Amino acid sequence: SQRRRRITLTIDEDGLRVGAPWRASQARIDAALLSHGRWIARKLAEWQARRPPAVTWQAGAIVMALGEPLTLVTDAAIKRTTRDGARLRVSAADDAATLAQVVAWLRDTAQDWFEQRAGHFASVLGLQVPRIRLSNARTRWGTWRTSIGRVARVRG
């Protein structure tokens, strides 16, 4: 970064991220990594220990929906993903297709829930609710599009 003044080391669920000033030499960055090597190793090990086990998208797996655990059941005879009590029934034959069906069902369930809750609070407050959309946003948190297409930013 051109504005950065110090070398920073950040460790999170994605691993180690090094931030350095634009003019920092590779030797200076390497020296910072070497001098903090034990700390880096310890923190990476802590994150690895906290990491939940990978989910296998097969029959018997547990999927959380609105705070309730649902057991995944595969059934090639069904046409669409449905909830049956504490079971979530999908028709997929492999892990990737099962994951896609579960994610689609979770998105539909979330959409319905958000629309229901927003409708409830809108009526209590006497407001109109604009269309609610879910996204897979990785950037631009706290923004919304106004009716004329400009982006407004929420200041908190």
Side-chain angles (χ1 to χ4, degrees), residues 10-156:
T10 305
I11 297 176
D12 58 18
E13 65 273 1
D14 295 326
L16 171 65
R17 187 171 46 252
V18 179
W22 188 252
R23 295 179 185 216
S25 68
Q26 187 63 48
R28 211 171 120 208
I29 295 169
D30 291 344
L33 291 169
L34 285 172
S35 69
H36 292 88
R38 287 168 56 179
W39 177 84
I40 292 168
R42 187 178 80 245
K43 290 297 181 182
L44 287 171
E46 288 173 8
W47 273 103
Q48 189 63 32
R50 279 189 259 174
R51 187 173 301 244
V55 175
T56 56
W57 296 98
Q58 299 172 352
I62 301 297
V63 176
M64 294 299 290
L66 297 174
E68 296 180 38
L70 303 177
T71 303
L72 204 53
V73 176
T74 56
D75 182 356
I78 65 170
K79 298 283 188 224
R80 62 188 260 272
T81 303
T82 57
R83 180 177 177 173
D84 179 17
R87 295 182 297 184
L88 184 61
R89 302 171 73 79
V90 296
S91 65
D94 62 21
D95 287 4
T98 301
L99 172 59
Q101 288 183 20
V102 169
V103 168
W105 182 85
L106 286 169
R107 286 182 65 83
D108 289 345
T109 301
Q111 182 76 37
D112 292 345
W113 189 84
F114 285 129
E115 287 173 356
Q116 183 183 74
R117 299 308 303 151
H120 166 76
F121 286 109
S123 67
V124 168
L125 298 170
L127 301 171
Q128 288 284 342
V129 177
R131 186 171 147 236
I132 296 175
R133 290 184 323 138
L134 297 179
S135 72
N136 231 0
R138 299 202 184 266
T139 59
R140 294 177 56 152
W141 285 95
T143 63
W144 74 89
R145 292 213 176 267
T146 64
S147 60
I148 57 175
R150 289 184 309 210
V151 175
R153 186 163 301 277
V154 176
R155 301 276 182 209

